[in-house]
Amino acid sequence: MEKESTVIIVAKADSPQSDIDAIEERIRLEGLKPHRIQGEHSTIVGVIGSCSPDFREQMEMFHGVERVIPIDKPYKLAARGEGRPSTKITVANDTVIGGESFVMMAGPCTIESREQLISTAEAVKRAGATVLRGGAYKPRSSPYSFQGLAETGLNYLEEARIISGLPVITEVMDPGLVETVSRYADILQVGARNCQNFPLLNAVGQTDKPVMLKRGAGCTTEEWIMSAEYIMSAGNARVMMCERGIRTLEDYTRNTLDLSAIPVIKRLTHLPVIFDPSHSCGRWHMVKSLTLAGIAAGADGALVEVHPAPNLALCDGPQSLTFENFSDLMEAAARVAEAVDRPIKPAAIAAA
Ligand code: PEP
Ligand code: MN
């Protein structure tokens, strides 16, 4: 099936005013908005909104119409576009996502206790991480699994932020909790399962917080970008995209890291691209290789799960790195990042 798209209608040269008015009236009848650009001998009418393929065909036959040119991309704000600079998102002090440095976000999947979070924050900072991750509200597949510490977890996150000096990223799942989570988070995470939760996208779009939008495991590139467009059209331009693995026929790994998504999103949009090797593979022993590959592929940052004792983790232990393994990953990551001119510069929320 053909996709919907926006079109530009070129009127026949020297068309009388009445023809142009009729074209505009027909556009309005469709529930769309005409935007007229009047030349000396010709007129073009831009159609604002998405037109169905039927409407496009009808307009081609419409009196006074010379041509109908589809503009294929249904996203406007996220599109790279000629001369549009790449978006740089300043999170805190020196932490810029999409800038010269590669940004390493690391921490536990889930905040389990004060000690677990603070020890992990200190360890990832020592190893050179730039942002601390940790979930307080968890999207678990089973209602019987640990669901997260909710606001208690956010309080620990606040403490870990102050102690480590690292800005923090945490997930928000419910539009009704966006305000609460925004009080603690430097970056709001929209998880894969909520990539097409449009009320949530609208709600985070109304905040002034940077948003990391994870790709739905079953979302195409265009669907994922359209979700970013939702956030941006609600007023928040500070969106970064996160590839976290998609569903394929492969079942050795939890998901399949779509490495291609990194250059694809870079080409189609001006937004920073992060990737998540942990959820992509679901196995700790693959996380280092995938991280190095993602850096080499041109990503702006990575999101890696780290736990003091992965074998005791309440969530995602099999994909979590020990402090030692994370430190080993960081040494290799720093070398690859240097080789592709994206040095990893540790940064902090306050001069510590
Ligand atoms: C997470 O980052 O902890 C998480 C739940 O990820 P995803 O939404 O990609 O599954
Ligand atoms: Mn996880």
Side-chain angles (χ1 to χ4, degrees), residues 148-160:
L149 292 178
E151 205 160 350
T152 305
L154 294 177
N155 281 308
Y156 296 151
L157 198 58
E158 183 172 35
E159 214 181 318

Side-chain angles (χ1 to χ4, degrees), residues 109-110 133 138 254 279 305 315-316 319:
C109 172
T110 307
R133 66 149 287 154
K138 294 304 301 178
R254 186 175 176 182
H279 291 88
E305 288 188 341
C315 185
D316 287 350
Q319 68 195 34

